[in-house]
Amino acid sequence: MEGPYVQVVGALERYRHSNAPIAFLDRDGVINLGRPGYVNTASQMQLLDGAASSIARLKQAGYAVCVVTNQSAISRGLWGPKRLIELHQALQTQLSEHDPHAVIDLFITCPHRYEDRCSCRKPSPAMLLLGHRLIREEMELETSWEPVQIPVSFPSVAWWSEKPPAPHVLDAMVGDRRSDMGAGWGYGARLFRVPRTLGLATVIDRIIQEEDEGDAFQP
Ligand SMILES: [Mg+2]
Ligand SMILES: [Zn+2]
């Protein structure tokens, strides 16, 4: 089974002892336009309005930016993990063209289907917890677009209890689906749900507001 694919593309060392918060972003419907039947090629990668300037604002506010995305096209055999290089390079290139500060630090991708019963597919918070470890703990991974599969175990989440505290009080999860909110809840993040055709730009002012505790969510 194995875990999610990780692409460390930013210089994570700078966050190690910085106490920087992390913005966890779902990809399709948050940064770029989702498509029925997956975004399968670089030419299908289309930024949502304001996504680049929003990511730039997160970076300027000191956030590490970590994409956490379910892409079951891989498990379905539509394409292989190498395609993540083209797709995510296309995404980063477009972001940089709009705003040179709009730099994603880390991509984490679950390649599985629901039926695969993996540990990483959202609403599991496993990809967020892995992002936290990669950014904040001594977990050395080469900076590379090459996807590396990292095994993870299913985190125990007390879904019937209170939302757990996040490792950093400002950590945030942005998504367009209930499964994104579930993953963010299990991690303890501030939750921001967006309309899938408008994405990140609709909540960026709120995320930057440190007093905003995010959306209420009942798992
Ligand atoms: Mg989405
Ligand atoms: Zn998975």
Side-chain angles (χ1 to χ4, degrees):
M1 175 63 56
E2 306 276 355
Y5 287 98
V6 172
Q7 294 164 288
V8 175
V9 295
L12 298 189
E13 316 81 65
R14 90 183 90 136
Y15 298 116
R16 278 288 146 72
H17 303 288
S18 69
N19 198 34
I22 304 174
F24 294 101
L25 308 180
D26 172 44
R27 196 191 76 185
D28 304 338
V30 172
I31 306 173
N32 59 278
L33 196 58
R35 295 172 57 95
Y38 311 101
V39 175
N40 294 304
T41 62
S43 62
Q44 292 174 346
M45 188 61 81
Q46 189 184 338
L47 285 188
L48 291 170
D49 281 346
S53 58
S54 300
I55 291 175
R57 282 183 64 193
L58 287 171
K59 296 304 291 277
Q60 281 160 336
Y63 283 79
V65 173
C66 176
V67 169
V68 285
T69 178
N70 288 351
Q71 297 294 332
S72 60
I74 298 174
S75 172
R76 289 175 206 281
L78 295 180
W79 36 267
K82 292 268 184 198
R83 182 71 60 86
L84 294 172
I85 302 173
E86 291 166 48
L87 291 170
H88 292 165
Q89 282 183 341
L91 180 60
Q92 183 57 65
T93 300
Q94 290 183 45
L95 287 170
S96 299
E97 281 167 5
H98 278 80
D99 192 316
H101 298 290
V103 179
I104 292 166
D105 294 297
L106 178 60
F107 291 88
I108 306 181
T109 305
C110 166
H112 305 111
R113 296 169 293 182
Y114 174 76
E115 309 87 275
D116 296 332
R117 305 265 165 204
C118 70
S119 298
C120 38
R121 186 176 165 86
K122 292 175 287 184
S124 163
M127 292 195 286
L128 287 76
L129 290 163
L130 178 60
H132 156 74
R133 282 165 56 207
L134 285 163
I135 288 166
R136 298 202 174 108
E137 295 176 6
E138 304 300 321
M139 202 170 162
E140 293 301 331
L141 262 196
E142 299 261 325
T143 300
S144 170
W145 286 97
E146 197 70 37
V148 179
Q149 204 168 18
I150 299 186
V152 292
S153 51
F154 197 92
S156 60
V157 180
W159 295 105
W160 56 88
S161 180
E162 300 275 293
K163 185 163 93 167
H168 189 299
V169 71
L170 294 180
D171 286 352
M173 173 72 209
V174 186
D176 63 321
R177 295 195 185 188
R178 205 179 146 74
S179 55
D180 297 314
M181 299 299 98
W185 190 95
Y187 174 89
R190 296 187 295 146
L191 306 174
F192 298 92
R193 190 157 179 182
V194 301
R196 65 185 164 79
T197 53
L198 299 174
L200 181 58
T202 59
V203 292
I204 188 62
D205 288 341
R206 290 183 57 203
I207 301 173
I208 300 289
Q209 276 275 325
E210 301 196 349
E211 302 77 32
D212 195 319
E213 294 177 6
D215 299 339
F217 177 76
Q218 192 61 53

